[in-house]
Amino acid sequence: MSASFYKASTEVHDRMKALIGQNHPDLALISEEIGIIFREKASNSGGQRVLGKTYRPAPQLNALYNGDYKFIIELPADIWENELGDRERDAMMDHHLCSMTSELNEETGEPVCMSLRPDIIGYKENIERFGMWFPKKPETTIEDSEVSDLVEQG
């Protein structure tokens, strides 16, 4: 049996746009080019329910549907509608938005869009036992000596 899909409502798109405005300014220029569809029932992978996916559509699909989607967010309708409150819906949508990035190509003036991999991949049992133990990305900071050099030169 094949999966059944349908377009998301304006309300769902408005939720996405609000989250872009709050947390994802790099996506503001392409917010109208992010499509959202619902899959009637969540799929399974490795015995786990898939809480949606985000992908770059093939150029053939954009040609077929006369569109210019930069990304497609596919959400599981059964989970979205029956198991999530507003906060969880925002969290799920934000999760998908975190997998996208866009920056303007200064030469062409066109957005360059990329899919991002998750920062962490873990197991619930491990996190329950040890918390968020994962190494953090090193942050680039100005050393104290560099700050004092700048102050002395100023």
Side-chain angles (χ1 to χ4, degrees), residues 98 116-120 133-141:
C98 285
L116 302 173
R117 299 196 44 83
D119 298 319
I120 59 167
W133 62 268
F134 306 97
K136 294 181 180 170
K137 283 184 177 178
E139 293 187 30
T140 307
T141 59

XYZ file of all heavy atoms in Angstrom, residues 98 116-120 133-141:
128
model
N 15.850 23.655 11.599
C 17.275 23.608 11.966
C 18.099 22.820 10.948
O 19.321 22.968 10.888
C 17.461 23.001 13.352
S 17.011 24.112 14.701
N 21.544 20.628 6.423
C 22.514 20.433 7.502
C 22.270 19.107 8.203
O 21.124 18.688 8.349
C 22.398 21.563 8.523
C 22.605 22.980 7.988
C 22.281 23.993 9.071
C 24.020 23.149 7.482
N 23.332 18.494 8.667
C 23.215 17.263 9.451
C 22.959 17.639 10.901
O 23.357 18.721 11.343
C 24.486 16.440 9.318
C 24.716 16.038 7.849
C 25.691 14.939 7.641
N 25.632 13.790 8.487
C 24.820 12.737 8.322
N 23.962 12.722 7.343
N 24.881 11.709 9.141
N 22.337 16.779 11.672
C 22.105 17.087 13.094
C 23.422 17.270 13.843
O 24.438 16.666 13.502
C 21.382 15.842 13.614
C 20.846 15.158 12.416
C 21.769 15.497 11.282
N 23.375 18.130 14.859
C 24.559 18.363 15.689
C 24.898 17.137 16.519
O 26.061 16.882 16.814
C 24.322 19.535 16.643
C 24.072 20.822 15.887
O 24.756 21.062 14.889
O 23.195 21.580 16.310
N 23.878 16.414 16.956
C 24.094 15.211 17.757
C 23.181 14.100 17.249
O 22.112 14.351 16.705
C 23.805 15.425 19.261
C 22.365 15.861 19.474
C 24.778 16.390 19.875
C 21.910 15.798 20.903
N 26.104 14.332 27.386
C 27.537 14.234 27.611
C 28.369 14.575 26.381
O 29.579 14.694 26.451
C 27.902 12.822 28.068
C 27.576 11.792 27.025
C 26.411 11.096 26.914
C 28.387 11.373 25.943
N 26.445 10.266 25.828
C 27.660 10.425 25.202
C 29.658 11.713 25.501
C 28.154 9.808 24.061
C 30.156 11.097 24.365
C 29.406 10.148 23.658
N 27.741 14.762 25.247
C 28.448 14.910 23.980
C 29.419 16.089 24.005
O 29.109 17.138 24.542
C 27.451 15.106 22.829
C 26.411 14.031 22.763
C 25.159 14.214 23.327
C 26.691 12.828 22.147
C 24.204 13.223 23.272
C 25.733 11.821 22.095
C 24.497 12.018 22.658
N 30.599 15.925 23.385
C 31.548 17.042 23.326
C 30.920 18.224 22.590
O 30.181 18.039 21.622
C 32.729 16.488 22.521
C 32.553 15.017 22.498
C 31.096 14.740 22.711
N 31.203 19.401 23.092
C 30.683 20.610 22.455
C 31.665 21.087 21.407
O 32.868 20.876 21.524
C 30.457 21.703 23.498
C 29.373 21.343 24.469
C 29.161 22.445 25.470
C 28.044 22.004 26.408
N 27.906 22.863 27.541
N 31.108 21.780 20.386
C 31.976 22.382 19.384
C 32.822 23.450 20.058
O 32.312 24.219 20.858
C 31.132 23.075 18.307
C 30.504 22.195 17.313
C 29.795 23.079 16.297
C 29.170 22.306 15.192
N 28.465 23.179 14.254
N 34.084 23.513 19.718
C 34.898 24.592 20.284
C 34.385 25.930 19.753
O 34.071 26.052 18.572
C 36.304 24.309 19.768
C 36.236 23.099 18.920
C 34.826 22.633 18.856
N 34.274 26.903 20.644
C 33.811 28.220 20.238
C 35.013 29.098 19.950
O 36.013 29.042 20.648
C 32.951 28.842 21.331
C 31.638 28.095 21.513
C 30.729 28.814 22.486
O 30.793 30.048 22.579
O 29.953 28.118 23.146
N 34.884 29.901 18.916
C 35.946 30.827 18.584
C 35.765 32.077 19.433
O 34.720 32.707 19.396
C 35.878 31.208 17.087
O 35.845 30.006 16.325
C 37.055 32.048 16.686
N 36.751 32.381 20.233
C 36.680 33.568 21.081
C 37.976 34.357 20.948
O 39.018 33.819 20.589
C 36.482 33.192 22.566
O 37.576 32.386 22.971
C 35.181 32.441 22.787
